Amino acid sequence: MANSEINSVNLIEKNSLGIIEIDYAPVNALSQGVRQGIVDGIEKFEASGEIKAIIIRCKSRTFIAGADIKEFGKPPTEPFLPDVVNRIENCNTPVIASLFGTSLGGGFEVALACHYRVALESAKVGLPEVNLGLIPGAGGTQRLPRVVGVGKALEMVTNGKHYRVNELSSTGLIDKLFPVDADLDEATESYVEELISSGQLVVKRVGEKSVETSDIDWDQEISNIKRKARGKDAPVVAAEVIRKSLENSIENGMKFEREAFLKLRESEQSAALRYAFAIERAAGKTDLTTVPLEVNNVGVIGAGNMGSGIATAFLTSGFQVQLIEQTAEALAAGMERIEKNLSSNVKRGRMSQSQFEECLSRVHISTEYESLSGSDLVIEAIFENIDIKKSVFSKLDSVTREDCILATNTSYLDINEIASVVNDPPRVIGMHFFSPANIMKLLEVVRAEKSSELALATAMSVGKKLGKMSVLVGVCFGFAGNRMYTRYGREIQQMLLEGASIEQIDKAMTNWGMAMGPLAVQDLSGIDIGHNARSAQPFPEHDPGYFRAAATMVENGRLGRKTGMGFYRYDEEGKKYADEAAESLIRTKATELGIQLRTFEDEEIVDRAILALISEGLALFKEGIVQRISDIDVIWLHGYGFPRHKGGPIFQAKQMGKLLVEQKLDALRDKESARIWPQVELSILNS
Ligand code: T1G
């Protein structure tokens, strides 16, 4: 068996089979070496008179998961992927792709150019390029419609999702499916040898198939895609390129595709989305070297909104949950919330009825703390009051095992003070979930002064098992996310007092890309929540307008949705309306404060709001509250609805450039004060 190594690609001859075996950790991405290895393999085996079929397969965890993201941003190198893919399709010896894991992007495009595709039943395929602000750039928009039809192709390319191959079994995409536990290499070889011996193996090219005509109302379709894209360009471009595949030969269609791909690759949106992909993976890497503890049994103290959301998150991730409340009624209410959370998963098809029941079988309720004696980890999610939390932790100290990790879900209380009542403070950390805890991906793992590496490493590993985006942060008021959120809120409310209307602010921020207007968010979460937390802190005398608009709402019983009015008014169906009464309360407060009202441009509103986030984010990094500056963006992408295609506050600062950020912050500091706009270290923006 001849075997030659070409940069992570092995070329193996086995009887009449030529095997191109890719072995490039971690996901067999199409690096330059892999691309070269594939072309060399095709050339070599096509030229050999002995080889009757060529198999492209991968080792390790998955078939090719796409172009090599590490090569983006660098000048493209030959062989370019479209040429590699076309070379495969034009090969005169039949080429078979052997799929498992997640064949994505360029990997799926390689498979589409092969003459046969075989796969394990568990294999997934997809063209997720739009998630990186791109479109498929190696024939995916032209070949996929020729295999699965235009409608399915349009769906797959514009939503960027992964599809199980057995969901596509009726499309002819896969020539042979093997059971999940099959030895794929062996099964593929025997399948191909059978085709050879029966004389059935032929060269069948997807590119030679015509695209079936479709009755798609393209204008309607594209406007639907535009609406769903919420400002992202790639899905709309993808739809337009697929539309062209109908009117052109595959050669011309690929030219349109390549042109559009290269343009998107240079776009800020794609840079932001690729940056987001990279920083999410970086956030999971910490300076913690300790091996995490095994966690199976989790105690949750408190079955309110947060506690039941946290319990739901653990249940859906396979953990045993011991739920503690003070009374049977509170437990019953908590269980109702958990069942409601889980049943919404069933309704959305994320969970079967039997999985729903299995989850419920793993939750145990009690009013006795002693029932936590078997817990590996306990998360406290009770009322935000330091004294009550301290009494809970002193109880936990006596009833839990010594190696049980004790975590508080507090949003802003001092974890060092909570830890002070426990005999062994190193086992106390923060695990700050975001509401609703079973939906929001962000988890701040808070390192208190005495927190042990073991406790922190275990919490980070539990966060990964929960499917959370875990970020390690230090202790300060509001940790990282909420401290920035407070600074952002202060800026928004200051502009209210200065004359910007409630609707103008919310519209300016949502038009810019925020998932929700900041004042509508306040109404949703309850204006009194933040107000009560701030009232427990000394009032900043240097900032007389500090959240006075919110205070006025609370003083007038306007707490938000829950009282039918806040910054907006809500009807019985919960529909939101602008409310002149709210505006006039704010104007009265502004007059009392001697603030001169003026008009605002939307651009100034967005600028000041984003600069407030940038300023606070830079300060947090300087103080060492976050490990790396990009963690600030991970927190804002996953905790606060910052538009992913804008990368995050720090990404935006880097786009503006250090000089412009400095000029803007200096101007705001001159206008207000250095207390509001402190000097920040900007050099990191040049890195
Ligand atoms: N290139 C390089 N490295 C990659 C990679 C890629 N495409 N995908 C993942 N990695 C690295 C990742 O950075 C991490 O590295 C490790 O693999 C594990 O990833 C022309 C242009 C495959 C589903 O968009 O969706 O093809 O941190 O933690 O949760 O049309 O990674 O360990 O050093 O995410 O099991 C299209 C992106 C590219 C796929 C695995 N392909 N990747 O998820 O592990 S554009 C994608 C994923 C393209 C063509 C166009 C996921 C995954 P490290 P992980 P995971």
Side-chain angles (χ1 to χ4, degrees):
M1 181 167 76
N3 178 341
S4 60
E5 173 74 42
I6 309 172
N7 291 335
S8 341
V9 173
N10 303 320
L11 302 182
I12 305 160
E13 292 179 37
K14 192 173 182 179
N15 309 327
S16 57
L17 300 180
I19 299 169
I20 300 174
E21 184 175 82
I22 301 165
D23 185 10
Y24 176 56
V27 293
N28 294 311
L30 286 157
S31 64
Q32 192 280 335
V34 169
R35 299 195 303 274
Q36 190 58 60
I38 293 172
V39 170
D40 294 352
I42 293 288
E43 304 280 347
K44 173 183 167 146
F45 294 139
E46 183 184 55
S48 147
E50 309 299 309
I51 299 296
K52 299 276 180 295
I54 300 170
I55 294 173
I56 299 180
R57 73 186 190 197
C58 291
K59 295 187 79 164
S60 170
R61 58 192 282 193
T62 178
F63 187 77
I64 305 165
D68 191 343
I69 293 179
K70 291 192 263 304
E71 290 187 358
F72 284 122
K74 295 177 197 155
T77 49
E78 301 206 57
F80 302 128
L81 189 54
D83 301 333
V84 173
V85 160
N86 292 338
R87 184 65 190 85
I88 294 169
E89 185 166 73
N90 297 330
C91 181
N92 294 316
T93 304
V95 185
I96 298 93
S98 181
L99 308 183
F100 69 110
T102 47
S103 310
L104 301 172
F108 188 25
E109 290 172 300
V110 162
L112 285 167
C114 291
H115 308 124
Y116 290 80
R117 284 156 296 281
V118 301
L120 287 182
E121 271 174 0
S122 52
K124 292 182 181 175
V125 294
L127 291 173
E129 286 84 344
V130 291
N131 299 328
L132 298 173
L134 301 167
I135 64 167
T141 63
Q142 306 303 308
R143 289 194 175 87
L144 192 60
R146 287 171 164 80
V147 180
V148 303
V150 178
K152 192 65 181 171
L154 194 57
E155 174 202 305
M156 291 176 73
V157 175
T158 53
N159 74 19
K161 289 197 174 110
H162 303 173
Y163 290 74
R164 294 187 76 98
V165 287
N166 47 23
E167 280 178 62
L168 301 164
S169 51
S170 60
T171 64
L173 173 72
I174 302 295
D175 297 278
K176 179 75 179 168
L177 266 181
F178 299 118
V180 177
D181 55 0
D183 174 324
L184 181 61
D185 291 353
E186 219 171 81
T188 304
E189 288 170 26
S190 11
Y191 170 71
V192 175
E193 277 158 359
E194 216 176 281
L195 286 177
I196 294 172
S197 53
S198 63
Q200 292 171 57
L201 192 69
V202 293
V203 167
K204 51 190 176 85
R205 297 187 172 103
V206 168
E208 288 169 359
K209 294 173 74 169
S210 58
V211 190
E212 109 283 8
T213 53
S214 79
D215 53 0
I216 289 177
D217 172 351
W218 282 96
D219 294 339
Q220 182 56 52
E221 197 61 41
I222 286 179
S223 75
N224 292 344
I225 288 164
K226 202 170 267 184
R227 195 186 62 254
K228 272 190 267 180
R230 290 175 60 91
K232 283 208 280 268
D233 299 329
V236 183
V237 172
E240 278 153 7
V241 169
I242 290 178
R243 182 179 197 173
K244 284 206 167 77
S245 70
L246 291 169
E247 301 145 13
N248 287 279
S249 66
I250 189 161
E251 291 72 21
N252 287 342
M254 283 192 69
K255 282 200 193 89
F256 285 124
E257 175 195 84
R258 193 71 187 157
E259 212 175 277
F261 167 78
L262 292 173
K263 193 158 164 257
L264 284 173
R265 194 174 63 174
E266 302 316 308
S267 69
E268 183 182 311
Q269 281 199 9
S270 183
L273 289 165
R274 297 196 313 262
Y275 165 81
F277 178 89
I279 63 171
E280 287 166 342
R281 280 146 190 83
K285 295 184 172 68
T286 67
D287 53 1
L288 304 169
T289 50
T290 323
V291 176
L293 284 175
E294 174 76 22
V295 173
N296 298 303
N297 300 305
V298 178
V300 177
I301 318 276
N305 279 334
M306 281 310 287
S308 54
I310 293 168
T312 308
F314 277 99
L315 289 169
T316 47
S317 302
F319 291 84
Q320 292 286 340
V321 172
Q322 180 66 50
L323 186 63
I324 302 287
E325 253 295 357
Q326 297 178 73
T327 65
E329 293 72 21
L331 281 170
M335 282 307 297
E336 229 174 274
R337 290 188 190 97
I338 290 171
E339 287 182 30
K340 189 161 162 275
N341 293 340
L342 292 174
S343 53
S344 73
N345 286 340
V346 176
K347 274 190 216 107
R348 289 193 172 84
R350 288 200 207 114
M351 183 182 275
S352 66
Q353 187 57 32
S354 59
Q355 285 169 323
F356 169 86
E357 277 137 28
E358 195 278 329
C359 277
L360 284 180
S361 72
R362 280 186 279 104
V363 57
H364 316 284
I365 57 176
S366 172
T367 56
E368 305 304 322
Y369 275 63
E370 285 65 27
S371 59
L372 296 169
S373 58
S375 297
D376 307 313
L377 164 69
V378 174
I379 297 167
E380 167 272 315
I382 61 169
F383 187 61
E384 285 288 78
N385 172 296
I386 191 75
D387 298 328
I388 303 177
K389 287 188 189 291
K390 284 163 78 172
S391 71
V392 163
F393 272 77
S394 51
K395 258 194 271 181
L396 290 175
D397 198 22
S398 53
V399 300
T400 55
R401 290 193 328 249
E402 274 175 16
D403 65 341
C404 171
I405 290 161
L406 305 179
T408 171
N409 171 60
T410 187
S411 296
Y412 55 85
L413 294 177
D414 185 345
I415 299 175
N416 298 322
E417 192 180 339
I418 294 172
S420 66
V421 303
V422 168
N423 291 325
D424 179 22
R427 65 185 180 131
V428 178
I429 57 170
M431 286 181 81
H432 180 220
F433 291 83
F434 284 71
S435 181
N438 52 309
I439 308 279
M440 293 299 280
K441 275 183 75 86
L442 182 61
L443 170 65
E444 284 180 320
V445 175
V446 191
R447 183 200 301 247
E449 257 157 49
K450 295 184 177 146
S451 298
S452 68
E453 281 221 353
L454 178 63
L456 293 165
T458 304
M460 290 297 285
S461 148
V462 165
K464 195 168 171 76
K465 289 194 187 98
L466 290 170
K468 295 293 182 188
M469 189 50 69
S470 312
V471 182
L472 189 59
V473 299
V475 171
C476 65
F477 186 78
F479 315 131
N482 279 351
R483 181 167 131 184
M484 287 176 69
Y485 185 56
T486 301
R487 181 66 189 81
Y488 171 73
R490 181 266 170 202
E491 208 53 33
I492 293 289
Q493 300 216 1
Q494 183 63 22
M495 289 189 278
L496 270 182
L497 292 169
E498 292 175 12
S501 77
I502 294 165
E503 269 204 314
Q504 181 188 13
I505 287 178
D506 275 4
K507 278 214 174 81
M509 296 313 293
T510 47
N511 289 343
W512 185 78
M514 294 301 273
M516 257 180 96
L519 297 162
V521 172
Q522 283 295 305
D523 276 2
L524 186 65
S525 51
I527 305 173
D528 52 325
I529 307 289
H531 176 74
N532 296 340
R534 286 186 295 273
S535 309
Q537 303 291 318
F539 186 82
E541 297 307 336
H542 66 279
D543 186 6
Y546 189 71
F547 284 92
R548 292 304 84 198
T552 302
M553 294 299 129
V554 173
E555 284 150 17
N556 287 275
R558 302 177 67 101
L559 309 186
R561 276 181 179 276
K562 59 188 173 186
T563 55
M565 56 183 175
F567 288 109
Y568 295 91
R569 183 175 52 76
Y570 299 88
D571 65 18
E572 292 70 47
E573 284 77 53
K575 195 166 173 346
K576 173 165 79 70
Y577 299 89
D579 189 352
E580 179 45 35
E583 299 287 2
S584 98
L585 283 170
I586 293 167
R587 276 198 298 278
T588 309
K589 179 55 75 178
T591 313
E592 267 173 41
L593 292 164
I595 295 174
Q596 200 54 44
L597 296 185
R598 65 178 176 86
T599 55
F600 275 78
E601 294 299 320
D602 288 2
E603 196 191 342
E604 179 190 358
I605 293 171
V606 173
D607 232 19
R608 276 177 58 176
I610 301 303
L611 284 163
L613 287 175
I614 291 168
S615 171
E616 204 64 36
L618 289 169
L620 282 163
F621 176 65
K622 183 105 170 64
E623 294 165 31
I625 302 292
V626 290
Q627 296 182 94
R628 59 184 76 76
I629 191 70
S630 61
D631 283 356
I632 292 290
D633 288 341
V634 172
I635 286 168
W636 271 77
L637 291 177
H638 288 282
Y640 299 88
F642 200 94
R644 193 177 175 81
H645 62 281
K646 299 236 183 212
I650 302 302
F651 182 87
Q652 286 300 309
K654 290 188 174 182
Q655 297 305 309
M656 280 188 232
K658 175 175 175 297
L659 195 57
L660 183 56
V661 172
E662 191 163 28
Q663 286 166 350
K664 287 173 175 272
L665 291 178
D666 289 351
L668 286 163
R669 189 175 308 113
D670 294 349
K671 212 165 137 202
E672 276 202 279
S673 75
R675 290 288 300 272
I676 306 286
W677 296 95
Q679 291 290 352
V680 282
E681 178 52 62
L682 292 160
S683 55
I684 186 79
L685 297 181
N686 283 339
S687 65

